[in-house]
Amino acid sequence: MKRTVFILLAMFSIITGCTKTESTRTSGIDTIDNITYFSTTYYVYGFSFSGAKLVATTTSPEPDIILYVNSDFLPSRLTLQSNNLKPSFFKVGDFSDEAAAKSAFDNLKTVSVSESQWMEMADPIQVNQVWIYRSGTDTYAKIRIVSTVNETRNSLPYGECKFEWVYQSDGSLTFP
């Protein structure tokens, strides 16, 4: 009897002690688009830096950034937008090619931005740009635009943005 209790106790200890918690990514390469979905309301998927994943605009918390195709211009322009009630984007620069943009992104360890330099949206976004994003809670991400698609699909404006990012959750503008 004691042996059975001991074995059951040991098995319970092993099973409950083996829960694996995976840490959330703080960097990566991801893609967002402007496809509109419908369930009980219309929504799109944006990106959450703190969650490191695509998030619907109907969830709480909402995504940090969404992609918008501004058809008021010819040709239309892709923009990154945020819904955190403050100017949230700062363009570090436009670079001539992928190597220069990647080098600038990788070497960007710290940045200083005055309040007047923040913009409401990243407009327009283009390949080989580097941006800084500021959340509503003053956490930051640096973003490198890897590729974009800006075209008409099924008679609707379609946009897609592949981006590399590094998230800094401690509230500083110093990136690892």
Side-chain angles (χ1 to χ4, degrees):
M1 177 72 174
K2 288 182 182 179
R3 183 178 181 161
T4 304
V5 170
F6 177 74
I7 291 172
L8 288 174
L9 193 59
M11 293 293 285
F12 178 75
S13 176
I14 290 170
I15 291 170
T16 60
C18 290
T19 53
K20 182 179 179 182
T21 56
E22 293 188 27
S23 61
T24 303
R25 297 183 297 146
T26 57
S27 64
I29 297 177
D30 288 273
T31 303
I32 58 176
D33 60 40
N34 72 319
I35 295 174
T36 302
Y37 300 89
F38 180 76
S39 60
T40 56
T41 185
Y42 290 98
Y43 64 95
V44 296
Y45 282 96
F47 191 78
S48 166
F49 293 108
S50 61
K53 62 183 178 182
L54 294 176
V55 176
T57 53
T58 55
T59 63
S60 183
E62 291 184 355
D64 291 316
I65 59 172
I66 62 168
L67 182 67
Y68 177 72
V69 179
N70 188 342
S71 300
D72 292 341
F73 295 91
L74 288 176
S76 59
R77 294 164 46 161
L78 298 178
T79 65
L80 293 177
Q81 299 184 357
S82 181
N83 190 23
N84 63 26
L85 305 176
K86 65 166 46 170
S88 298
F89 297 94
F90 171 73
K91 184 164 52 169
V92 175
D94 294 289
F95 299 91
S96 59
D97 57 31
E98 181 181 359
K102 178 80 171 134
S103 177
F105 179 81
D106 290 343
N107 293 325
L108 181 63
K109 301 298 182 197
T110 188
V111 65
S112 178
V113 183
S114 70
E115 192 59 37
S116 64
Q117 292 176 300
W118 291 103
M119 296 180 276
E120 295 291 329
M121 62 186 79
D123 180 28
I125 58 165
Q126 298 173 343
V127 175
N128 300 324
Q129 289 178 331
V130 176
W131 292 85
I132 300 294
Y133 165 76
R134 171 176 66 170
S135 75
T137 57
D138 290 332
T139 58
Y140 299 89
K142 64 179 180 176
I143 303 168
R144 177 177 68 94
I145 307 301
V146 175
S147 65
T148 61
V149 175
N150 186 3
E151 62 191 25
T152 300
R153 291 189 183 174
N154 301 322
S155 301
L156 296 171
Y158 174 79
E160 182 179 287
C161 177
K162 182 177 184 179
F163 58 98
E164 181 177 13
W165 58 277
V166 174
Y167 178 59
Q168 178 55 286
S169 62
D170 71 4
S172 76
L173 278 165
T174 301
F175 296 94

